[in-house]
Amino acid sequence: GGLALALLYLNNLTFGAIMMAFMVWRGMRIPTIGVWRGISSALGLLGTVVYCQSVKRYSLPTTGMWSIAFQFSCLTLCYASLFVQDYMISLSMLIGGVCASRVGLWVFDISVYQMMQQLIPDGIRGVVGGVQGSLNAFFSLLGFGVGIVFPDP
């Protein structure tokens, strides 16, 4: 679970700097991007509520599995947007997929950290958490490196 979580930090399909630059390049105004970032954040917060309900109904591993599958299906919509010729429809698919994927992302994130808390012995939990944080930072940095290597949208 930890490596899968770290690999999510490689994903540039967030409302971070790289995707914002892409949307500005596509002609979207900064205030509009700000609204969509807010909606995306609200959907991420909704993920915490969904997590609580899911863990009550299903097991923790099942919650983690459906959430990553949900995120993957939402990001598939983003991938499909690359093949749409109409800029507005393509951008709408991209934004819709990213916003919807936040629910799966946050449910998966909380599920992995909860499993780490429950399954890792107390004596090494801090070490494992430190390595997890390092992996997350490494893949996040690698995502920016991809943006530098491939700067032309």
Side-chain angles (χ1 to χ4, degrees), residues 8-129:
L8 289 176
Y9 283 81
L10 180 61
N11 179 8
N12 282 319
L13 292 173
T14 65
F15 280 98
I18 293 175
M19 186 167 153
M20 281 183 55
F22 174 74
M23 290 190 301
V24 168
W25 177 78
R26 294 290 294 265
M28 187 174 267
R29 294 183 23 234
I30 298 283
T32 306
I33 295 171
V35 168
W36 284 112
R37 284 185 79 176
I39 291 169
S40 178
S41 296
L43 287 172
L45 289 173
L46 176 66
T48 61
V49 175
V50 171
Y51 167 80
C52 291
Q53 297 303 315
S54 180
V55 168
K56 287 178 187 175
R57 178 174 274 183
Y58 309 109
S59 68
L60 185 57
T62 302
T63 297
M65 290 300 290
W66 76 253
S67 63
I68 196 66
F70 178 77
Q71 185 188 18
F72 180 75
S73 64
C74 291
L75 294 180
T76 301
L77 180 66
C78 299
Y79 177 70
S81 74
L82 296 173
F83 303 102
V84 175
Q85 297 300 317
D86 185 303
Y87 278 147
M88 288 311 294
I89 293 174
S90 174
L91 203 54
S92 298
M93 289 171 66
L94 176 68
I95 291 170
V98 169
C99 286
S101 76
R102 298 300 94 183
V103 174
L105 172 69
W106 282 105
V107 172
F108 183 72
D109 183 83
I110 297 169
S111 297
V112 169
Y113 278 112
Q114 185 64 38
M115 282 190 269
M116 287 172 65
Q117 294 255 333
Q118 291 176 352
L119 301 175
I120 297 171
D122 292 343
I124 61 169
R125 194 174 295 151
V127 172
V128 173

